[in-house]
Amino acid sequence: DAKTTQPTSMDCAEGRAANLPCNHSTISGNEYVYWYRQIHSQGPQYIIHGLKNNETNEMASLIITEDRKSSTLILPHATLRDTAVYYCIVRAVAGFQKLVFGTGTRLLVSP
Amino acid sequence: ETGVTQTPRHLVMGMTNKKSLKCEQHLGHNAMYWYKQSAKKPLELMFVYNFKEQTENNSVPSRFSPECPNSSHLFLHLHTLQPEDSALYLCASSQAAGGTGELFFGEGSRLTVL
C-alpha cells in the first residue's frame, strides 16, 4: 500500500470548515483513499473513501486532485465533537482488507 | 454502536495471569482483525482472520494467542504478559471480499499489566 503524509496537528474554530490535507504521491491506479478518525480512547470510525472523483456524505467531503497524488478531507462546519485524530490511508479494494494506520492528524476544534 | 462489541472494556492483570478478550460482530462480516494501540503510537495490526482462517500474524509474540471459532466471534487469549503489553486492544470486522472495504471497529479493551 502507498505511504501517506499528513500534518501532525491542526486547529479549527467551531463552526468553520476544517480542511485536512493528505499527500499520497506513490498511489497506484487501483488504490483508494480512505479516511478514518479516532476520538480519544475509542475505536476508529470510517468517514469516507474515494478513487478519483470527489465524494460527499453526511459526515464530510473528500477532494482528490486530478493526478491523485493528494487529497483533502473537508468537515464543512466543525463542532467540538469533531476533535479527533484523522487518518488518511491508501489501499486497494480487493479481497479482505487490512488497514495500516500512520500517525494521522490531530484536529483540535475550539470554541 | 458499530455492531462490533468488545468485552471486557477494561482489564487489569498480573504478569502470571491468564485472561481473554472477546469480540463479537453482528454485521455478517467474514473478516476479523485485532489491532493494538500503545500510548502515543499508531495502531498496530496484530492478526487477521478471513473466514475463520488466520491469514496474517504480524510477528506477534506467542503470549498473545488468537482464536476465531466462527465468523462472528474473535478471542485474544493472554498469558504471561509484560507491562509493556499494556495498551488498547481493538477488534474490527469487514466483508471478506467486495464491498466498500470499510472496517468497523469496536470500542476497544483497555489492558493494564501490572
Side-chain angles (χ1 to χ4, degrees), chain A residues 38 87 101-103, chain B residues 36-44 84:
Chain A
Q38 186 175 22
Y87 299 99
F101 287 81
T103 53
Chain B
K36 174 185 177 183
Q37 188 171 35
S38 303
K40 300 185 179 181
K41 291 177 71 174
L43 281 83
E44 301 171 58
E84 58 265 30

Side-chain angles (χ1 to χ4, degrees), chain B residues 42-90:
Chain B
L43 281 83
E44 301 171 58
L45 179 65
M46 299 176 72
F47 300 103
V48 182
Y49 277 82
N50 188 25
F51 288 97
K52 302 189 298 179
E53 298 297 320
Q54 185 180 124
T55 54
E56 183 145 351
N57 177 336
N58 201 23
S59 302
V60 180
S62 60
R63 58 186 183 270
F64 294 92
S65 176
E67 178 190 1
C68 188
N70 55 61
S71 293
S72 299
H73 294 86
L74 184 64
F75 295 88
L76 188 61
H77 304 300
L78 317 168
H79 60 98
T80 59
L81 295 191
Q82 304 298 312
E84 58 265 30
D85 296 322
S86 298
L88 181 68
Y89 289 85
L90 289 156

Side-chain angles (χ1 to χ4, degrees), chain A residues 1-5 21-35 49-55 62-72 88-93:
Chain A
D1 294 329
K3 179 180 170 58
T4 62
T5 303
C22 179
N23 285 319
H24 32 78
S25 58
T26 61
I27 192 170
S28 300
N30 67 338
E31 289 182 315
Y32 287 69
V33 180
Y34 282 79
W35 283 84
H49 78 285
L51 183 62
K52 54 184 178 181
N53 297 322
N54 297 337
E55 303 287 344
L62 174 61
I63 308 298
I64 302 174
T65 58
E66 191 168 344
D67 63 7
R68 304 208 322 122
K69 293 182 184 298
S70 66
S71 60
T72 301
C88 170
I89 302 166
V90 171
R91 68 169 195 197
V93 179

Side-chain angles (χ1 to χ4, degrees), chain A residues 31-50:
Chain A
E31 289 182 315
Y32 287 69
V33 180
Y34 282 79
W35 283 84
Y36 281 73
R37 74 179 183 184
Q38 186 175 22
I39 296 171
H40 182 62
S41 294
Q42 296 183 20
Q45 175 191 24
Y46 167 83
I47 301 173
I48 198 167
H49 78 285

